[in-house]
């Protein structure tokens, strides 16, 4: 996440957010550090899903050092919602939870097999280690 | 997810969305089936995070049979963002991915131990099963 570089030093080039919103990009623009002019899609999806006004408000409510992470997570969520308008990134959460269920079942089986193999050896009096 | 019940039959009681937005709740209100008057927080967080206008637009773009799931996932995302304004539900995704990494490591170790135990038996000529 680039914390700066939203605008060229000394140039009047607006950040991607101000360009899309067709407004003047002030020197203290809250979007400029996170939405550089050369990544227009990054803001477009965030604007479509959350709305520029909500994003502005959410960023203003956070300390500056947390805004980069907040933008990254909002961009991730917005892209997921544009790709999948029904489930958004909640679809990814369901899929990961299913993977966890499958892995937990496989792990329980493998661990049970280890216990079984060790018990078999122990019963035969041929315990090693 | 309740597909109906946003408003009492024959009553003028507005849904939670129209009540918050202080507008008349039309008989074909897009929010009413999913945001009943007795669950005001459900819409409040969705409105705060996505904005009523964006939610309206997203629902209108979906066929009716998918809107219930879309609302559920938006409510989940909005609640996660209100609880954690920096990471929202992307925090849950990171945490689940870490759980998957841990489980995959544990599974690989358990499976390697099974292979080791079986090979030990096989080398001793005491293979079973």
């Amino acid at each position: 996440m680039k914390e700066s570089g939203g605008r060229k030093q000394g140039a009047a080039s607006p950040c991607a957010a101000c360009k899309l919103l067709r407004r003047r990009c002030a020197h203290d623009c809250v979007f400029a550090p996170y939405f550089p002019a050369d990544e227009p899609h990054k803001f477009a999806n965030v604007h479509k899903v959350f709305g520029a006004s909500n994003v502005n408000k959410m960023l203003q409510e956070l300390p500056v050092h947390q805004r980069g992470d907040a933008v990254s997570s909002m961009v991730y969520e917005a892209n997921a919602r544009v790709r999948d308008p029904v489930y958004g990134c909640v679809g990814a959460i369901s899929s990961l939870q299913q993977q966890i269920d499958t892995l937990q079942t496989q792990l329980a089986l493998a661990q049970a097999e280890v216990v079984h193999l060790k018990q078999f050896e122990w019963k035969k009096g041929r315990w090693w280690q």
Side-chain angles (χ1 to χ4, degrees), chain A:
Chain A
M1 169 61 48
K2 278 196 276 184
E3 293 283 338
S4 62
R7 194 177 4 199
K8 284 169 196 156
Q9 281 293 322
S13 171
C15 72
C18 291
K19 199 170 180 182
L20 192 87
L21 301 171
R22 297 180 185 203
R23 64 177 204 178
R24 196 177 66 83
C25 191
H27 76 280
D28 59 348
C29 169
V30 73
F31 297 123
Y34 316 106
F35 297 104
D38 57 355
E39 295 181 62
H41 288 293
K42 194 174 162 185
F43 185 75
N45 284 347
V46 163
H47 176 48
K48 187 180 174 191
V49 172
F50 295 102
S53 160
N54 280 354
V55 176
N56 189 341
K57 211 182 297 172
M58 286 193 266
L59 290 180
Q60 297 278 13
E61 286 170 0
L62 289 173
V64 172
H65 74 275
Q66 290 191 306
R67 292 182 189 176
D69 284 342
V71 166
S72 293
S73 68
M74 280 190 271
V75 168
Y76 183 94
E77 269 187 69
N79 290 343
R81 178 66 57 184
V82 167
R83 269 198 313 272
D84 180 353
V86 180
Y87 297 103
C89 73
V90 180
I93 290 176
S94 302
S95 159
L96 291 171
Q97 278 173 334
Q98 279 172 12
Q99 277 186 61
I100 286 175
D101 289 347
T102 304
L103 283 166
Q104 280 175 333
T105 304
Q106 289 176 326
L107 180 61
L109 286 170
Q111 285 174 336
E113 196 170 3
V114 168
V115 169
H116 173 76
L117 289 167
K118 284 185 173 175
Q119 275 180 344
F120 186 88
E121 277 308 290
W122 184 80
K123 280 179 188 161
K124 297 277 180 197
R126 285 178 264 113
W127 183 245
W128 67 91
Q129 273 187 343

